[in-house]
Amino acid sequence: MAVDLNHTIVPSRNKRASAEFIAEILGLKAGPQWGPFVPVETANGVTLDYMDAEEFRALHFCFIVSEPEFDEIFGRIRERGLAYYADPGHREAGEINHLYGGRGVYFDDPDGHNMEVITAPYA
């Protein structure tokens, strides 16, 4: 039996603004509201379903992209003046990593979720 992730709920203070933020950074589109959610669909069909919430803990999301897509995404991160890091603990500010023969970067979304973009999967 194959098991695939279909969607995950992402709590947010403003679901539309947060969905549009990550969609724009990643070069995707935020979909129309569906029930209480604003979805952002990735290339493999998984959706991040943004939902308004008052209290929540920050989560971590990692997106694997091609080298050219990384360049575009990293360019948008820098154009927006977002803080970025080479590590998940945000200790290596203004740096990217080069793990497993690829590149990676971490940044926070407007709700403090720790977003990661990598070009090579972890071994």
Side-chain angles (χ1 to χ4, degrees), residues 93-116:
E95 301 291 331
I96 65 170
N97 67 57
H98 298 277
L99 301 174
Y100 307 103
R103 294 182 290 164
V105 66
Y106 294 83
F107 62 97
D108 287 342
D109 82 347
D111 295 300
H113 296 305
N114 191 4
M115 302 298 189
E116 178 183 12

Side-chain angles (χ1 to χ4, degrees), residues 29-123:
K29 294 198 183 311
Q33 185 165 329
W34 183 77
F37 308 110
V38 176
V40 176
E41 186 173 354
T42 64
N44 63 343
V46 175
T47 58
L48 303 174
D49 292 336
Y50 282 82
M51 180 177 81
D52 286 333
E54 291 183 26
E55 294 184 27
F56 52 87
R57 293 171 57 174
L59 301 172
H60 171 72
F61 299 91
C62 180
F63 305 92
I64 189 162
V65 301
S66 68
E67 289 288 340
E69 289 166 329
F70 185 91
D71 290 336
E72 293 172 10
I73 291 166
F74 189 51
R76 289 189 284 270
I77 290 169
R78 290 185 302 174
E79 285 170 8
R80 283 180 164 235
L82 299 176
Y84 61 90
Y85 309 86
D87 67 304
H90 293 185
R91 290 180 300 278
E92 299 174 53
E95 301 291 331
I96 65 170
N97 67 57
H98 298 277
L99 301 174
Y100 307 103
R103 294 182 290 164
V105 66
Y106 294 83
F107 62 97
D108 287 342
D109 82 347
D111 295 300
H113 296 305
N114 191 4
M115 302 298 189
E116 178 183 12
V117 178
I118 60 175
T119 61
Y122 295 143

